[in-house]
Amino acid sequence: HMAPSVNDDLDLDGNWQAEDDPAEASTPPVSVSKKRKQKADAAAAEGDESEVATGKTTGAKKKKKKKPRTNLYSGEPEVTSDGDLCSRARSRVASSWAAEGKSRKLTPLELKELVPLPKWFLPCAPEAPLASIPSKLEDDAAVGGILGALRRKAKLPKLKARCASVVVLCLSSEQVFAELPKIEKSWGTKPLALSAFGGGRRKDQIARQAKSLEAGAYVAIGTPGRFLRLLDEGHATTEGLEAIVVDLALDRKQRDVLTLPETRRDFFALLQRHLLSGLGAGEGSRIVLCGSTSTSA
């Protein structure tokens, strides 16, 4: 009775070695696990070759393409090009609204209640000084209306009661009175101040400013909170309001109207309560961003 070959146990795995082949006999038997690994490697190699031939690459791990950053509320890609001024302005307001939503812990559904659009804005470089508006607006943007008349130094149209045709929003009363004489000199018309000043109770200040606004004004300059209160209490109207000019000049703590929590809150309350339905529609109001000294604007 002959002893069984040492390779008999490996026949089922295809590892049987011919005993009369000295070259192969000198090679030690390959373990089952190692042989399976070799088969897997060979199969992977064949797969790679077929992928190269067909132009497909599934064997190697694909690098994920970076998606453009999107705004929290709309899913629209953020605009980074400097070419489209209205889109830049939209992106700036959108970022501020996202920050406001985070501060107030708004739900995604609540955030979608306000989705800024490029058509809300007049094309203007955000770094343009406030006093240079409306001369820094694009030609087609300033045709007609108060801004067009101021640009061409033409005769101004008739005033509308309880309405300022152009409202400039500043960060503080201090900034309001710093910019007021510059606007008067450059624009050729004296703005009506709508902010905390003149002493006395706030209620009395509101009453005085409401009376000044009864006949209407071509230009008013104030803080978002004061203008919002005048609208809320019925002392002012947005009928005939052509433009909201937002001065993005920074204060000593590097904050502007769209980053200081209090003014940012009032600005978006102003949009939601009084301006949203008419922004960018026909002869509705437009927003102008200017005066920025921030590199992120």
Side-chain angles (χ1 to χ4, degrees):
H1 181 70
M2 294 181 62
S5 170
V6 293
N7 293 318
D8 286 351
D9 292 338
L10 304 177
D11 285 350
L12 296 177
D13 291 311
N15 293 321
W16 181 77
Q17 300 283 340
E19 292 186 14
D20 56 352
D21 189 335
E24 293 183 2
S26 62
T27 304
V30 182
S31 68
V32 175
S33 60
K34 187 173 183 181
K35 190 66 178 179
R36 286 175 178 164
K37 184 177 183 303
Q38 289 174 349
K39 285 184 178 181
D41 293 343
E46 288 178 6
D48 290 342
E49 290 176 2
S50 64
E51 287 163 4
V52 171
T54 59
K56 297 178 181 179
T57 54
T58 57
K61 194 173 182 180
K62 290 183 180 179
K63 288 185 178 180
K64 292 184 178 179
K65 292 183 179 180
K66 290 184 178 179
K67 294 182 180 179
R69 292 176 60 188
T70 56
N71 292 316
L72 179 63
Y73 50 87
S74 66
E76 297 177 3
E78 287 186 358
V79 177
T80 55
S81 172
D82 289 346
D84 190 341
L85 295 173
C86 292
S87 293
R88 287 179 66 194
R90 184 210 67 85
S91 184
R92 179 70 170 84
V93 172
S95 298
S96 181
W97 175 236
E100 178 65 11
K102 184 177 180 181
S103 173
R104 289 162 51 185
K105 298 181 181 179
L106 298 180
T107 66
L109 191 61
E110 289 172 321
L111 283 169
K112 287 184 179 180
E113 292 176 1
L114 192 154
V115 180
L117 300 172
K119 68 178 183 178
W120 289 8
F121 303 89
L122 288 176
C124 178
E127 60 274 8
L130 174 59
S132 70
I133 308 298
S135 63
K136 291 294 184 181
L137 294 173
E138 296 289 321
D139 288 343
D140 58 346
V143 174
I146 298 297
L147 286 175
L150 290 172
R151 180 188 179 93
R152 298 187 299 271
K153 299 190 182 303
K155 184 179 178 180
L156 298 175
K158 187 178 178 181
L159 288 171
K160 295 184 179 180
R162 297 187 302 116
C163 178
S165 300
V166 179
V167 174
V168 179
L169 298 180
C170 295
L171 187 67
S172 63
S173 293
E174 179 184 0
Q175 191 174 334
V176 165
F177 286 97
E179 295 296 335
L180 193 152
K182 297 178 187 177
I183 291 176
E184 182 178 4
K185 181 179 179 181
S186 179
W187 295 22
T189 184
K190 185 176 181 178
L192 176 64
L194 301 177
S195 65
F197 77 97
R201 295 181 303 173
R202 187 168 298 181
K203 185 178 179 180
D204 295 335
Q205 292 182 14
I206 294 288
R208 288 197 300 268
Q209 290 169 17
K211 188 171 183 179
S212 299
L213 196 56
E214 280 181 358
Y218 292 121
V219 180
I221 181 170
T223 55
R226 179 54 57 93
F227 186 47
L228 176 63
R229 181 166 177 179
L230 287 165
L231 288 169
D232 284 346
E233 295 183 5
H235 301 303
T237 178
T238 58
E239 293 182 15
L241 175 61
E242 296 178 13
I244 296 285
V245 180
V246 183
D247 183 11
L248 295 176
L250 300 175
D251 67 2
R252 297 178 185 87
K253 295 184 178 180
Q254 302 300 300
R255 302 169 302 184
D256 61 35
V257 169
L258 297 180
T259 56
L260 180 67
E262 292 79 9
T263 53
R264 182 182 66 202
R265 179 195 62 220
D266 291 337
F267 173 76
F268 286 114
L270 175 64
L271 294 190
Q272 289 181 296
R273 294 183 205 168
H274 302 284
L275 296 173
L276 201 54
S277 61
L279 274 173
E283 296 183 359
S285 306
R286 297 292 194 280
I287 299 172
V288 179
L289 301 187
C290 67
S292 175
T293 54
S294 171
T295 56
S296 62

